[in-house]
Amino acid sequence: MSLTDQGFAIYRDAARVHGRSITGQMTKALDADELAQLLALCDKLRIGVSGGSDDCVVDPEAE
């Protein structure tokens, strides 16, 4: 099963909106040092889950 190009575009747009929402909530709750710690921990988890690959970069600001 796979997404059509149009389906993937809809998914990508929804993911961006969701990512910006999460980012907005996090920046309200955490200070700069806490956000840096969270980013480092999330990167460590993401790389660990992907078997050491760093090819999955999530950037909600990317268009």
Side-chain angles (χ1 to χ4, degrees), residues 1-12:
M1 184 171 170
S2 63
L3 291 173
T4 63
D5 289 343
Q6 182 182 14
F8 182 74
I10 291 168
Y11 165 78
R12 185 185 60 230

Side-chain angles (χ1 to χ4, degrees), residues 44-61:
K44 184 174 183 176
L45 287 170
R46 178 179 45 79
I47 292 168
V49 167
S50 67
S53 173
D54 194 18
D55 61 356
C56 177
V57 176
V58 178
D59 183 358
E61 299 298 319

Side-chain angles (χ1 to χ4, degrees), residues 17-48:
V17 170
H18 179 68
R20 282 191 288 269
S21 174
I22 297 287
T23 299
Q25 294 300 314
M26 293 294 183
T27 57
K28 289 179 186 175
L30 303 174
D31 66 28
D33 289 337
E34 292 167 330
L35 286 169
Q37 290 175 337
L38 179 61
L39 178 60
L41 289 170
C42 288
D43 283 344
K44 184 174 183 176
L45 287 170
R46 178 179 45 79
I47 292 168

